[in-house]
Amino acid sequence: MKKHSFFALLAACLVALAAGDEHNHIYEDHEEVVLWMNTVGPYHNRQETYAYFSLPFCVGTKQTISHYHETMSEALQGVELEFSGYEIDFKDDIAPTEICMVELTEKKHKAFVYAVMNQYWYQMYIDDLPIWGVVGKEEDKKYYIYTHKKFDVSYNGKQIVDVTLTPEKKELLKVGAKIKFTYEVNWKPSSVKFEDRFDKYLDPNFFQHRIHWFSIFNSFMMVIFLVGLVSMILMRTLRKDYARYSKDEEADDMERDLGDEYGWKQIHGDVFRPASNAMMFSALIGAGYQLTSVVLCVITFAILGELYTERGSSTAIFVYAATSPINGYFGGSLYARMGGKQWIKQMLLSAIIVPGLVCGTAFFINFIAIYYHASRAIPFGTMVAVTCICIFVILPLTLIGTIVGRNLDGQPDFPCRVNAVPRPIPEKKWFMEPAVIILLGGVLPFGSIFIEMYFIFTSFWAYKIYYVYGFMLLVFLILIIVTVCVTIVCTYFLLNAEDYRWQWTSFMSAASTSIYVYIYSFYYFFFKTKMYGLFQTAFYFGYMALFSGALGIICGTVGYIGTNVFVRKIYSNVKID
């Protein structure tokens, strides 16, 4: 797969437009059907995969095919398609046919025994339909390999709707043995509709279990409770504050000086002071707007288009690139309102912060994958393509968004003046410190999603296809509401303690949800998986760190947006001399 050049792929695509194949899923009688060999790897870690022919399997006799199919996302996901060499034609049954004969040298014997010991399985594709099989079986401390592949292919009209693989004929593995590999293909008509052909891979009993419905109901009740609690507490508390401040305004200067002034109104001259490290803050907010947009768009596309049926969907990559102006607009306008002058540096930081983290982590894991000769190693050409997308698509679109944002929404519009000299922050109780508020802020948002995290983790790290995107959208909206409510309460307590450092606190108290998600990933790794070794551990915790970090940026941005509206509202309703 890696040896195919861009022009070979382009030529193959042009040929595919003129022929019936897996691109349009329509075949004429006796037309070529391609069996792709993908990967092989240990059952207990679906992410540790190697090229199918890294084991000493043999290729069929057929030398050439009329087309080749691959996407960028496939390369990034470690989908490494290699032609099997099997002669398969539409509706043509094939009796048991020899593929080749393999003589087990000591090296080949050792490779097969290791694969059987570690319960290696392999994946293949016919017309984009995945097929799985096991390499062999251990019995009485002896190791056997399956030498015969029986394919039962169902068709409806001119379309393939089902493929079943049955490994047969166990052969004892011993040095010097000559093993004959064979295959057969049986075609049969089916009433299954083409659009329903992926239903057999789904597991409704798992994803629509009562515990899943209960978790959604539980989270929904949490939302109602939090919204009601926040509304009641803040309305009553703020009503008392407004009444007290109105009374203070009616008093003369001497009475006001002798009065006991405290609370959030006293910091009106500092509450809209720019956040420390405004460049990084605005870059994170811009990236958060973009990531939130990407998540909503991809979930919507998944609900409408059933992305799980695609072998390698590049939707997320192109949606992320297309939403780059959102990043530039909101990040650039916020930085301008905070008085930032180095807007080009801010734009560059905003554009590369997420791709940089992703590429840096992937680059590190790529070294480990190359060392292990795993298919997860990203080809150099794919890395160049991703870099080009960042430089020639994401960066210019972010620049456009930044320029538009600075010009349309870059003027400060604070309801209160900002004092020239910062007000001293008084001492307060330990539980009102920003660090404590930040750690406590992520507990309830995590509580609203942690059961859904189990289903998402299982679909990624185990053998489940996630398809209940309606659940995901509902949980994501619940997370947003819970995060906003909790962050508003945290910010109110902070402001009432006369601490005006609310921007970073609101962001980090919401983003701390990611800390608990990452801690939960440790529990999942040790108690729900059987992964081991450097490659599996680095791959798992590296990409879980990326997932948690992205979730943290999203939650932090949502928390800041809600808190910003709240802070502007309460200070715009108070008369300030």
Side-chain angles (χ1 to χ4, degrees):
M1 165 182 153
K2 297 178 183 177
K3 64 185 178 182
H4 286 79
S5 66
F6 171 78
F7 297 104
L9 292 176
L10 179 61
C13 292
L14 293 176
V15 171
L17 293 176
D21 52 43
E22 64 194 60
H23 295 82
N24 55 26
H25 306 290
I26 297 176
Y27 298 86
E28 300 295 336
D29 291 357
H30 317 299
E31 191 171 6
E32 173 189 77
V33 176
V34 179
L35 172 65
W36 296 108
M37 300 305 193
N38 185 19
T39 53
V40 63
Y43 177 80
H44 293 300
N45 180 23
R46 84 179 261 196
Q47 305 303 326
E48 182 184 351
T49 55
Y50 306 93
Y52 177 83
F53 290 110
S54 63
L55 287 179
F57 290 117
C58 51
V59 184
T61 56
K62 188 173 183 179
Q63 298 295 320
T64 60
I65 52 176
S66 61
H67 70 278
Y68 192 87
H69 179 56
E70 179 191 31
T71 66
M72 178 187 298
S73 182
E74 288 176 2
L76 294 174
Q77 294 174 21
V79 176
E80 187 161 342
L81 302 181
E82 296 182 87
F83 177 48
S84 62
Y86 293 12
E87 283 273 5
I88 302 178
D89 296 320
F90 191 65
K91 294 185 183 180
D92 290 348
D93 290 342
I94 300 177
T97 303
E98 179 179 340
I99 304 172
C100 67
M101 185 78 72
V102 174
E103 183 175 353
L104 289 184
T105 63
E106 187 173 345
K107 182 178 179 181
K108 293 179 180 180
H109 173 265
K110 185 178 179 180
F112 275 133
V113 168
Y114 181 84
V116 175
M117 286 178 60
N118 289 275
Q119 299 179 336
Y120 269 41
W121 59 277
Y122 52 83
Q123 185 181 49
M124 302 180 289
Y125 285 99
I126 286 182
D127 193 51
D128 281 353
L129 288 174
I131 319 163
W132 295 276
V134 293
V135 174
K137 186 177 182 180
E138 180 180 356
E139 290 182 354
D140 300 326
K141 296 185 179 180
K142 294 182 179 179
Y143 303 100
Y144 297 86
I145 188 171
Y146 290 108
T147 62
H148 183 71
K149 294 180 176 66
K150 179 183 177 183
F151 297 94
D152 293 308
V153 188
S154 300
Y155 61 91
N156 188 342
K158 297 182 178 181
Q159 296 177 309
I160 297 174
V161 295
D162 186 33
V163 182
T164 302
L165 169 64
T166 307
E168 296 179 345
K169 297 182 181 179
K170 293 185 298 183
E171 193 81 29
L172 179 63
L173 290 170
K174 56 183 179 180
V175 178
K178 293 184 178 181
I179 298 179
K180 181 172 69 173
F181 288 93
T182 59
Y183 77 104
E184 67 176 292
V185 181
N186 300 308
W187 293 83
K188 58 182 180 180
S190 173
S191 59
V192 176
K193 296 181 179 179
F194 179 79
E195 54 269 21
D196 298 329
R197 66 180 189 157
F198 269 87
D199 289 354
K200 69 174 254 184
Y201 300 106
L202 309 181
D203 189 354
N205 293 329
F206 179 75
F207 285 105
Q208 297 183 22
H209 193 275
R210 281 167 46 184
I211 190 68
H212 204 174
W213 285 102
F214 178 76
S215 70
I216 298 293
F217 177 76
N218 184 50
S219 299
F220 185 70
M221 294 305 295
M222 182 187 295
V223 166
I224 296 177
F225 172 75
L226 275 176
V227 171
L229 184 65
V230 169
S231 301
M232 181 179 68
I233 291 177
L234 293 187
M235 286 182 66
R236 291 185 62 183
T237 304
L238 290 175
R239 189 182 297 116
K240 291 180 181 179
D241 289 342
Y242 284 133
R244 178 165 57 84
Y245 290 141
S246 298
K247 184 177 180 181
D248 290 344
E249 289 168 1
E250 294 173 358
D252 57 30
D253 292 339
M254 183 173 293
E255 290 177 338
R256 193 178 305 169
D257 291 338
L258 295 175
D260 185 19
E261 291 192 358
Y262 64 92
W264 52 268
K265 185 184 176 184
Q266 309 311 312
I267 57 172
H268 64 84
D270 296 276
V271 73
F272 294 107
R273 190 174 298 282
S276 58
N277 198 349
M279 182 181 294
M280 175 60 73
F281 184 78
S282 57
L284 287 171
I285 295 299
Y289 268 101
Q290 183 180 8
L291 286 174
T292 304
S293 303
V294 170
V295 170
L296 290 173
C297 288
V298 171
I299 293 177
T300 303
F301 291 152
I303 292 173
L304 299 177
E306 297 181 342
L307 296 182
Y308 62 85
T309 63
E310 299 183 26
R311 186 167 61 207
S313 175
S314 304
T315 303
I317 298 174
F318 294 112
V319 170
Y320 184 85
T323 53
S324 296
I326 296 176
N327 184 342
Y329 181 91
F330 289 101
S333 61
L334 177 61
Y335 185 66
R337 290 196 300 273
M338 288 184 173
K341 303 299 182 183
Q342 298 177 310
W343 67 273
I344 295 180
K345 288 184 178 180
Q346 185 277 331
M347 182 271 299
L348 292 173
L349 179 62
S350 188
I352 67 173
I353 188 168
V354 171
L357 290 173
V358 173
C359 293
T361 304
F363 194 65
F364 169 73
I365 296 175
N366 211 46
F367 273 113
I368 301 176
I370 292 173
Y371 175 78
Y372 279 86
H373 304 288
S375 66
R376 291 288 172 178
I378 302 173
F380 178 75
T382 304
M383 294 170 63
V384 172
V386 172
T387 303
C388 290
I389 291 175
C390 292
I391 296 175
F392 298 109
V393 179
I394 293 177
L395 201 59
L397 291 179
T398 306
L399 174 62
I400 293 172
T402 301
I403 294 173
V404 174
R406 288 180 61 86
N407 285 276
L408 295 184
D409 195 24
Q411 298 300 317
D413 56 348
F414 308 130
C416 306
R417 297 191 308 271
V418 178
N419 294 335
V421 180
R423 187 177 189 272
I425 299 174
E427 293 185 3
K428 48 188 173 293
K429 295 181 179 180
W430 64 270
F431 55 82
M432 299 300 294
E433 291 292 337
V436 178
I437 291 175
I438 287 171
L439 288 177
L440 294 178
V443 174
L444 284 178
F446 171 72
S448 68
I449 64 170
F450 86 96
I451 293 181
E452 194 65 26
M453 287 295 100
Y454 170 76
F455 291 98
I456 293 174
F457 286 7
T458 303
S459 67
F460 190 78
W461 301 110
Y463 299 92
K464 301 290 183 181
I465 296 177
Y466 194 96
Y467 67 96
V468 285
Y469 295 104
F471 278 101
M472 182 181 288
L473 179 60
L474 182 58
V475 170
F476 186 69
L477 296 177
I478 288 173
L479 174 64
I480 289 176
I481 297 172
V482 172
T483 301
V484 169
C485 291
V486 170
T487 313
I488 287 175
V489 173
C490 291
T491 301
Y492 175 75
F493 287 147
L494 185 73
L495 296 179
N496 222 34
E498 300 182 21
D499 190 337
Y500 50 82
R501 297 171 296 180
W502 65 274
Q503 290 103 328
W504 274 110
T505 303
S506 64
F507 181 89
M508 294 303 297
S509 62
S512 64
T513 305
S514 63
I515 297 176
Y516 298 102
V517 170
Y518 199 57
I519 293 174
Y520 177 73
S521 73
F522 278 80
Y523 164 79
Y524 189 89
F525 179 83
F526 289 109
F527 295 99
K528 299 297 182 181
T529 72
K530 295 183 180 179
M531 298 183 189
Y532 62 91
L534 175 63
F535 177 75
Q536 297 181 20
T537 304
F539 193 93
Y540 178 89
F541 287 108
Y543 282 111
M544 284 312 306
L546 279 181
F547 174 82
S548 301
L551 181 65
I553 293 175
I554 291 172
C555 291
T557 302
V558 168
Y560 169 76
I561 294 170
T563 305
N564 184 51
V565 173
F566 166 76
V567 172
R568 286 175 173 271
K569 183 69 175 177
I570 64 174
Y571 281 97
S572 63
N573 287 340
V574 174
K575 180 180 178 182
I576 299 191
D577 297 329

